[in-house]
Amino acid sequence: MNSADLGRRVGVPSTALFTDQYELTMVQAALKAGTAGRHSVFEAFTRRLPEGRRYGVVAGTGRVLDAVENFHFDDEMIGFLRQQRIVDEPTLEWLAGYRFSGDIWGYPEGEVYFPGSPILRVEGSFAECVLLETVILSILNHDSAIAAAASRMSAAAGGRRLIEMGARRTHELSAVASARAAYVGGFDATSDLAAGFRYGIPTVGTSAHAFTLLHDTERDAFRAQVDSLGRGTTLLVDTYDVTEAVRAAVEIAGPKLGAVRIDSGDLLLVAHRVRQQLDELGATGTKIVVTSDLDEYAIASLAAAPVDAYGVGTQLVTGSGHPTCSMVYKLVARAGGAAGAEADADAPLVPVAKKSMGAKSSVGGRKWAARRVDAGGVAEAEVIGTGSVPEELAGRELLVELVRGGVVVAREPLEAARERHVSARAGLPMSAMQLSRGEPVIGTEYV
């Protein structure tokens, strides 16, 4: 989903320099060798999931599509490359006219993935595809890591409301991307206004401890907030004494007070005490929001607490210990025959793969992927192949067309990705929701 879908013009700068220098030097060498136009297939995938994770979550696809559309070299960029002598003049001339004209297929955003899953397949000339490596990986690795953490937290929350509030714990642009990925993974709202503006994610927020400390008394602060924001607001009750704060909050706002927020202490114990006190004061409909360095394990530990919503910051925007998915972008097939675009235009594709010791081995060939399910419709294997799709897996293919001839054909509202993730996660074995360390919940099979 881009800004135009929301009716908001959010400027997106060129993404052409969001790359590593060797992408450009490879293009220069390939242009000179006559291989730059050789038809090629690249795939983004991960060889393993982060330790202890049972499934991955595809996120950032919409941002990848925006990045591909905006990948072009303007005069200032070309001037910089010339001044720094990054590449030669023939290459600069080629870059000045660059626009991706190939095809992209991939797992739709919100889908789950496993080791070896061909999450994104980029096809076109070698030169136009290789330039996209870094920007594609930077988006997918970051957003998918955040979405996976969000998904685990969503599962642990058991339907309770989740608020993303990690903007102050990461880079300002990463904060926007994190809020988007968290929404795909199951969060309900964000505190980040830029994310709300750019992507239409619901935003929330009321006050911090500074607002209470600003006033002569806590009651003065509560009264000022209720007078301004109404009785449905959320009052922060742990600046001084929680019991006294809850009593003051209900006296000032009345039993229709929207919520109270607890940001410190033994959250399990305090939540029980606050709930009891609210009920005794007649504020039976007042909700309890908890924050304070939560992660999926802390959320799960509060399952028995009378908590209505969780606010999560640091652990979410850092992937809850896994800030990247270790995705790679590899050439898996290229046209055979003589070098040169004309010579290999109709040549059959030749599978290629790096031969490497240990865990860095790859499987060559343009791949399809399908998910085999059991009689109950529960996933039992991620099946990946390079030939024809077996008849029994027809209709269960995972890759969808995203870009055709350089034109985006599959942009969708963010809500679609969010809903897709709910469905995809529900199709996994129940053990996928366990927070204990374990292997991927289903295996990968190559055919």
Side-chain angles (χ1 to χ4, degrees):
M1 181 177 181
N2 69 0
S3 57
D5 295 325
L6 297 171
R8 302 186 180 108
R9 301 304 302 171
V10 180
V12 179
S14 168
T15 53
L17 293 186
F18 294 164
T19 189
D20 293 302
Q21 181 169 314
Y22 78 168
E23 315 292 4
L24 275 63
T25 54
M26 281 192 286
V27 168
Q28 175 177 310
L31 286 169
K32 186 172 184 179
T35 52
R38 178 170 279 174
H39 192 76
S40 301
V41 181
F42 285 81
E43 289 175 355
F45 62 93
T46 185
R47 297 184 177 97
R48 69 192 68 83
L49 297 179
E51 183 180 358
R53 296 292 168 88
R54 307 213 170 192
Y55 61 93
V57 181
V58 178
T61 308
R63 296 209 307 122
V64 166
L65 298 180
D66 288 345
V68 171
E69 278 192 333
N70 288 285
F71 199 103
H72 57 84
F73 295 84
D74 59 27
D75 292 342
E76 188 175 5
M77 292 177 175
I78 294 296
F80 164 76
L81 297 174
R82 178 179 289 113
Q83 181 184 40
Q84 298 299 315
R85 298 183 180 180
I86 304 297
V87 290
D88 60 18
E89 285 299 323
T91 306
L92 290 174
E93 183 178 349
W94 186 89
L95 293 174
Y98 178 87
R99 290 293 189 279
F100 181 72
S101 63
D103 303 325
I104 300 179
W105 288 67
Y107 280 39
E109 192 159 19
E111 183 58 83
V112 296
Y113 71 87
F114 298 92
S117 297
I119 295 165
L120 202 72
R121 188 175 75 213
V122 182
E123 193 163 346
S125 72
F126 173 82
E128 67 176 337
C129 293
V130 77
L131 282 181
L132 300 176
E133 174 180 6
T134 302
V135 70
I136 284 175
L137 288 180
S138 66
I139 293 172
L140 291 180
N141 268 313
H142 174 271
D143 289 23
S144 296
I146 305 305
S151 179
R152 285 162 60 86
M153 294 174 189
S154 173
R160 292 172 175 175
R161 187 171 171 80
L162 287 165
I163 304 164
E164 184 280 317
M165 47 194 301
R168 66 193 63 189
R169 300 293 189 239
T170 188
H171 185 280
E172 64 271 21
L173 297 182
S174 295
V176 181
S178 294
R180 182 186 184 282
Y183 193 65
V184 171
F187 272 59
D188 300 287
T190 178
S191 65
D192 191 281
L193 290 177
F197 176 74
R198 184 179 289 266
Y199 298 116
I201 301 169
T203 60
V204 297
T206 51
S207 67
H209 292 103
F211 186 76
T212 301
L213 297 171
L214 168 69
H215 293 80
D216 293 335
T217 69
E218 191 170 49
R219 284 177 172 272
D220 289 343
F222 288 174
R223 189 172 293 107
Q225 184 173 328
V226 171
D227 287 347
S228 175
L229 302 179
R231 299 179 187 277
T233 192
T234 299
L235 296 176
L236 181 57
V237 295
D238 73 328
T239 305
Y240 304 117
D241 180 272
V242 173
T243 302
E244 288 301 318
V246 171
R247 180 179 297 110
V250 176
E251 287 178 3
I252 292 167
K256 298 298 184 181
L257 172 63
V260 295
R261 178 162 75 95
I262 306 165
D263 188 51
S264 60
D266 184 334
L267 297 179
L268 179 61
L269 175 62
V270 175
H272 276 288
R273 287 178 174 174
V274 168
R275 181 73 272 157
Q276 181 179 353
Q277 185 181 9
L278 287 170
D279 291 346
E280 290 173 350
L281 293 171
T284 56
T286 299
K287 299 184 182 304
I288 297 175
V289 181
V290 297
T291 53
S292 186
D293 292 327
L294 300 177
D295 61 9
E296 60 266 50
Y297 300 101
I299 291 171
S301 73
L302 292 168
V307 172
D308 299 286
Y310 305 95
V312 190
T314 304
Q315 291 302 319
L316 177 61
V317 300
T318 57
S320 195
H322 297 290
T324 181
C325 301
S326 299
M327 292 184 193
V328 296
Y329 182 90
K330 297 297 182 183
L331 179 66
V332 297
R334 51 89 173 166
E342 294 183 5
D344 65 23
D346 298 315
L349 289 172
V350 176
V352 295
K354 171 184 176 181
K355 291 186 177 179
S356 178
M357 299 291 289
K360 282 199 170 184
S361 60
S362 302
V363 178
R366 179 205 276 148
K367 299 175 192 67
W368 53 263
R371 192 161 297 145
R372 190 174 68 238
V373 299
D374 63 18
V378 178
E380 60 180 15
E382 193 88 337
V383 185
I384 300 170
T386 57
S388 299
V389 179
E391 185 176 342
E392 64 271 19
L393 293 175
R396 300 208 62 83
E397 296 97 330
L398 293 163
L399 278 77
V400 299
E401 188 177 27
L402 301 172
V403 176
R404 182 192 310 138
V407 178
V408 174
V409 296
R411 189 169 272 117
E412 63 182 5
L414 195 57
E415 288 290 344
R418 176 180 168 83
E419 292 169 5
R420 181 180 295 114
H421 179 61
V422 172
S423 176
R425 192 175 67 183
L428 298 177
M430 292 184 65
S431 57
M433 305 305 113
Q434 293 177 348
L435 296 182
S436 57
R437 295 185 180 276
E439 298 299 315
V441 71
I442 62 173
T444 302
E445 299 178 4
Y446 290 92
V447 297

